[in-house]
Amino acid sequence: MRSALLAPLVILLAACTPLYAPPPAPVATSAPPAALTQDSGLAPASVTPNGVQTLPASSHVTGMPYPAQCALGKTSNGDWMPDPRCTPGAASAAVTQANIHSTICVSGYTAKIRPPVSETGPVKKAAMKAYGESATTSINTELDHDVPLELGGSNDITNLWPQPSDLPGQGFRNKKDTVENDLKRAVCAGTVKLADAQNLIASDWTTAERNAGLS
C-alpha cells in the first residue's frame, strides 16, 4: 500500500525536475599585448602600428622596476642594443604629428620634460644592475631613452636603458646620438613621419636612418 502511494509522488517529482544542462562556456577575453603586461603605472593611450607604446606625458620617471634580469644585445657591427623584453621603447602622448612644430621642433623642448637627476641617478643604478653592468662602468654609461626625448620619447621605465658608450674617451657620447639628431631633423623637415621615426629607432637604431631613407 505504501509503495503504491509513493509511486505517483516519484513520477510527479521527476516531471518537475529540470533536465541537467551544462553551464555556459566562459566568454573569451582578449589578453593584453605582451608589452603591456608589466604595469607601467600609466595606462597606454595607444600603440603605434609597429608596436611602440604611447603613454601619458610626464616629466618624471614613471613605471615599475626593471625585471630581475635584462641583457644588453650587440649587432654584428658591435653596436649596443637594449633588451626588448625590458626596454621595448615608449612614446609620450604629448607629442603628435600634428603638434611637432610646437613641441620637439622647438629649441629647449627636451630640457622642459627631462626628469631631474635626483630621479635619473637612482634609475640608472637600477638599470645597470638589471642589465648586469658593473658600477665601475657608470662614467661611460648613459641612461638612454630608447625613443629619444627629441623624437617624443617617454620617461617611462620601458623606454630607459643603460647604454655603454661606443666612442672611447667621449664619456656618455655615442653613435646613437647622431642617429637621433638626424631623425629629428628629418621629422621636423617633414621628410619622415614621427611615428615612423619612433618605430624605426625603437626597433633597431643602427638601421633606422637607412630604413627611413636618410642614408
Side-chain angles (χ1 to χ4, degrees):
M1 179 68 179
R2 186 176 179 183
S3 301
L5 291 175
L6 288 175
L9 179 60
V10 170
I11 295 172
L12 180 61
L13 288 174
C16 295
T17 303
L19 295 175
Y20 171 77
V27 178
T29 56
S30 299
L36 306 185
T37 55
Q38 292 182 26
D39 182 11
S40 68
L42 296 169
S46 62
V47 178
T48 54
N50 290 333
V52 172
Q53 299 179 68
T54 300
L55 300 174
S58 177
S59 59
H60 298 280
V61 176
T62 58
M64 300 295 287
Y66 289 93
Q69 275 191 312
C70 307
L72 286 171
K74 261 193 176 183
T75 67
S76 58
N77 293 329
D79 295 312
W80 295 107
M81 302 287 290
D83 188 332
R85 300 168 303 171
C86 301
T87 316
S92 169
V95 181
T96 65
Q97 184 65 46
N99 72 12
I100 57 173
H101 293 294
S102 61
T103 53
I104 63 172
C105 298
V106 176
S107 178
Y109 167 77
T110 59
K112 294 178 181 178
I113 51 88
R114 190 179 299 278
V117 175
S118 60
E119 292 182 15
T120 57
V123 171
K124 179 180 176 180
K125 290 181 180 178
M128 292 182 68
K129 182 177 180 181
Y131 271 81
E133 293 185 61
S134 168
T136 59
T137 65
S138 180
I139 192 171
N140 293 316
T141 299
E142 173 189 6
L143 182 65
D144 180 68
H145 287 76
D146 190 21
V147 178
L149 293 179
E150 61 188 298
L151 284 176
S154 168
N155 286 315
D156 191 76
I157 207 82
T158 56
N159 196 46
L160 298 171
W161 67 295
Q163 182 187 18
S165 175
D166 49 19
L167 297 175
Q170 298 194 37
F172 295 155
R173 283 187 52 75
N174 55 74
K175 291 186 288 185
K176 183 172 180 278
D177 293 337
T178 300
V179 176
E180 296 172 356
N181 294 336
D182 290 347
L183 285 173
K184 180 201 169 182
R185 279 193 291 269
V187 168
C188 292
T191 57
V192 176
K193 294 294 185 183
L194 176 66
D196 290 339
Q198 292 173 339
N199 283 306
L200 288 172
I201 201 165
S203 175
D204 184 343
W205 69 265
T206 67
T207 61
E209 288 187 271
R210 182 174 73 246
N211 290 335
L214 302 180
S215 63

